[in-house]
Amino acid sequence: MTATLSNQQKNYDQTAWQKGYESQREEAAYEITEVEGQIPAALEGTLFRNGPGLLDIGGTPIKHPFDGDGMICSVTFRGGRAYFQNRFVRTEGFVAEQKAGKPLYRGVFGTQKSGGLFNNVFDMRLKNIANTNVIYWGKKLLALWEAAEPHRLDPENLETKGLDYLGDILKAGDGFSAHPRIDPASIWDGGEPCLVNFAVKPGLPTRLVIYEISPSGELLRYREHEAQGFAFIHDFAITPNYVIFFQASVKFNPLPYVMGLKGAGECVKFEADKPTKMIVIPRDPARTDVQTLEAEAGFVFHHANAFERDNQIIVDSVCYQSIPQVQPDLDYKNVDFNALDPGQLWRFSLDLETQKVTRELLDTRCCEFPVVHPAYVGRDRRYTYIGATDAATGNAPLQAVWKVDHQGDNAQLYSFAPSGFTGEPIFVPCPGATAEDEGWVLLMVYDSARHGSDVVIFDAQDFTQPVATLRLKQHIPYGLHGSWTPEVFVSF
Ligand code: FE2
């Protein structure tokens, strides 16, 4: 493993990458004893991660990892030691399918039930797979999947407690996005933190619902906005005064889905020749002046951050020229990375006076899963931490972790190529820190050479080498999102 600043060569083996998509059926709980380096004694709290744990149901492969049942991992840090746990979310669908030993639901991304076309036609039941994110908020640990209600888990042992309606904030069947943003100092709440989240209610028009929730779980503000046309929105951004949605121009033809031929997600078609709408909604309950700007943009899954500057809102996002879809007849594991547009970090400047949007490509490197220091959510900041490819151009699996410097030349990159594969980093501030990058970057890395996963800790100011590499006893399939809380729930 070496620090790589730039590398134009393909430095991975697709067969090795594919092994990270093997199902992990075992649930475990143990202190991590195989540690290279030293776990920082001041690192205290819990890292939670979520992602598809099963890539098959009773031996029947799922069509896309996004259809995989959610499995939660937790790593508890205390006194220079670490304790690992993983457990599946016992969703209604997971329990029923494990009992049946075969798929009983159709997945949004194309997984079909057993029994062929006639068993799939007109079946539009959704399986709430709880696989996208996991957060600790309002004294609850919640597994999130955007199209349905959260599942509540016991933070001590990850046991599933059932669907959670956040008190009575949600109703049965309501969605709750997997990308809540936590405003670290809400100007609407006397500087207290506030969780801001959204849901997309499909229909014509689409309704965008915004919830603002206090640290104790109370609903502070609720707003709905009607957006024209069909919307496929996975993430959003916030500033102290606004929430911002990018609504790419997509068409949805439900017929193949209704007919049982395709998953709903496979029926979305990106219209590259049409502009992206950028919907800017005030958080001030007294304001109703929603603005919709238009720009040539592409497709965005994830925003890194947004902030206000004079009359502008700046949004940094990972943007693709089109939706990165695998060809319907191709196994996702055989995806030709060279045939897919890379996701790249762009800066969009939305001028609220002139209604003009300008955009700037910040770097050519392919990247995904951006995060920032939690105290800078919605604020101008210097750094973004993000999963990245080993090569500086082109598309490839994520193998590196990258610290992007927006204000200077202190960018750093550490690559785990050729055998290691990465995902979303999590930034944890040092207790009492003053500098923005005084803290740690935590990362789950799949090491294909030993078919096992590592929890890697970096000093965020120095990516030359990890400060500690914690070797898990098993592999964890490539995950999606996670979060950090300074709370410790496990005694060990
Ligand atoms: Fe996401």
Side-chain angles (χ1 to χ4, degrees):
M1 292 191 285
T2 50
T4 310
L5 290 175
S6 123
N7 183 343
Q8 302 291 332
Q9 293 159 359
K10 177 177 166 177
N11 199 7
Y12 67 95
D13 168 33
Q14 188 137 348
T15 318
W17 170 76
Q18 288 171 347
K19 291 193 295 180
Y21 277 126
E22 201 173 280
S23 293
Q24 176 53 266
R25 294 175 212 287
E26 299 300 318
E27 297 179 317
Y30 55 87
E31 182 173 347
I32 306 167
T33 51
E34 206 181 321
V35 178
E36 242 174 65
Q38 199 107 43
I39 302 172
L43 179 62
E44 181 165 315
T46 311
L47 171 72
F48 289 109
R49 295 212 55 84
N50 197 352
L54 290 183
L55 288 307
D56 70 278
I57 298 160
T60 305
I62 58 172
K63 182 85 187 288
H64 193 285
F66 291 173
D67 284 341
D69 289 295
M71 186 182 80
I72 309 296
C73 296
S74 74
V75 187
T76 306
F77 295 93
R78 175 173 253 176
R81 296 161 61 207
Y83 191 86
F84 173 83
Q85 296 184 82
N86 72 309
R87 202 152 183 176
F88 283 95
V89 186
R90 263 51 175 192
T91 65
E92 190 185 347
F94 173 85
V95 171
E97 287 183 331
Q98 290 307 301
K99 197 170 164 202
K102 62 180 185 182
L104 301 175
Y105 293 79
R106 301 173 63 199
V108 172
F109 293 90
T111 301
Q112 300 283 42
K113 291 190 296 182
S114 309
L117 176 63
F118 289 103
N119 211 24
N120 285 279
V121 67
F122 300 132
D123 183 351
M124 277 158 301
R125 289 176 309 146
L126 278 183
K127 176 183 168 192
N128 180 348
I129 47 175
N131 73 355
T132 316
N133 202 350
V134 53
I135 57 160
Y136 186 73
W137 187 260
K139 304 256 176 253
K140 288 176 179 176
L141 184 64
L142 301 167
L144 304 179
W145 182 64
E146 64 195 29
E149 309 94 323
H151 281 80
R152 187 162 69 86
L153 313 166
D154 183 333
E156 191 180 327
N157 59 18
L158 306 181
E159 190 184 304
T160 305
K161 295 295 188 187
L163 292 176
D164 195 275
Y165 296 91
L166 312 178
D168 56 1
I169 295 175
L170 302 179
K171 292 186 287 299
D174 276 354
F176 193 69
S177 142
H179 279 287
R181 300 270 172 186
I182 296 170
D183 182 340
S186 167
I187 59 173
W188 311 104
D189 307 300
E192 288 297 306
C194 167
L195 180 141
V196 187
N197 201 13
F198 72 98
V200 177
K201 295 198 173 181
L204 290 175
T206 301
R207 277 185 301 151
L208 302 175
V209 181
I210 299 150
Y211 304 95
E212 302 211 16
I213 300 172
S214 76
S216 56
E218 311 287 316
L219 184 66
L220 298 166
R221 286 168 292 282
Y222 176 91
R223 185 181 279 251
E224 285 194 14
H225 172 73
E226 290 187 351
Q228 295 301 310
F230 178 76
F232 181 32
I233 298 173
H234 175 70
D235 191 8
F236 75 146
I238 65 166
T239 67
N241 286 289
Y242 300 100
V243 297
I244 304 106
F245 294 94
F246 282 15
Q247 184 189 5
S249 184
V250 289
K251 255 193 179 157
F252 180 63
N253 172 12
L255 201 60
Y257 172 55
V258 175
M259 295 309 292
L261 298 167
K262 285 183 175 180
E266 294 176 299
C267 300
V268 174
K269 197 167 171 289
F270 179 71
E271 299 182 297
D273 55 331
K274 299 216 172 123
T276 288
K277 288 180 190 150
M278 296 168 177
I279 304 166
V280 181
I281 304 175
R283 288 175 62 193
D284 180 351
R287 283 179 62 181
T288 53
D289 53 324
V290 175
Q291 297 190 57
T292 304
L293 287 64
E294 290 194 350
E296 186 189 338
F299 189 81
V300 169
F301 275 115
H302 298 123
H303 301 288
N305 203 20
F307 57 93
E308 298 166 25
R309 182 190 283 162
D310 303 324
N311 295 313
Q312 290 192 327
I313 296 175
I314 315 296
V315 189
D316 294 335
S317 315
V318 178
C319 191
Y320 300 80
Q321 280 191 348
S322 61
I323 299 181
Q325 281 170 315
V326 179
Q327 298 97 301
D329 301 327
L330 195 65
D331 182 340
Y332 67 90
K333 286 193 265 192
N334 293 323
V335 61
D336 177 4
F337 281 96
N338 291 325
L340 290 179
D341 293 323
Q344 293 164 317
L345 204 52
W346 288 77
R347 173 159 287 190
F348 298 93
S349 302
L350 286 59
D351 190 312
L352 299 185
E353 266 187 13
T354 64
Q355 308 281 300
K356 292 267 184 291
V357 179
T358 52
R359 60 176 193 159
E360 178 195 355
L361 178 63
L362 299 180
D363 199 291
T364 57
R365 187 180 295 273
C366 179
C367 55
E368 250 306 353
F369 301 124
V371 298
V372 300
H373 186 307
Y376 291 81
V377 171
R379 280 83 180 154
D380 194 5
R381 85 297 177 200
R382 182 163 175 181
Y383 299 112
T384 296
Y385 305 92
I386 190 164
T389 52
D390 180 72
T393 56
N395 202 337
L398 302 177
Q399 292 190 283
V401 57
W402 183 22
K403 178 185 181 183
V404 179
D405 185 352
H406 298 282
Q407 296 169 11
D409 55 3
N410 187 28
Q412 297 191 40
L413 184 131
Y414 186 91
S415 175
F416 295 85
S419 64
F421 298 92
T422 63
E424 179 189 67
I426 297 284
F427 178 85
V428 180
C430 265
T434 48
E436 188 192 317
D437 60 352
E438 210 176 324
W440 301 280
V441 171
L442 308 185
L443 190 68
M444 191 84 93
V445 180
Y446 170 66
D447 181 357
S448 61
R450 71 175 188 96
H451 191 44
S453 293
D454 301 333
V455 178
V456 181
I457 306 169
F458 286 93
D459 173 344
Q461 294 182 325
D462 179 8
F463 276 33
T464 317
Q465 285 292 325
V467 293
T469 302
L470 290 62
R471 308 231 182 265
L472 300 182
K473 293 179 181 173
Q474 72 278 61
H475 84 283
I476 303 301
Y478 301 120
L480 293 167
H481 301 288
S483 60
W484 171 264
T485 170
E487 307 268 347
V488 166
F489 306 99
V490 181
S491 36
F492 61 101

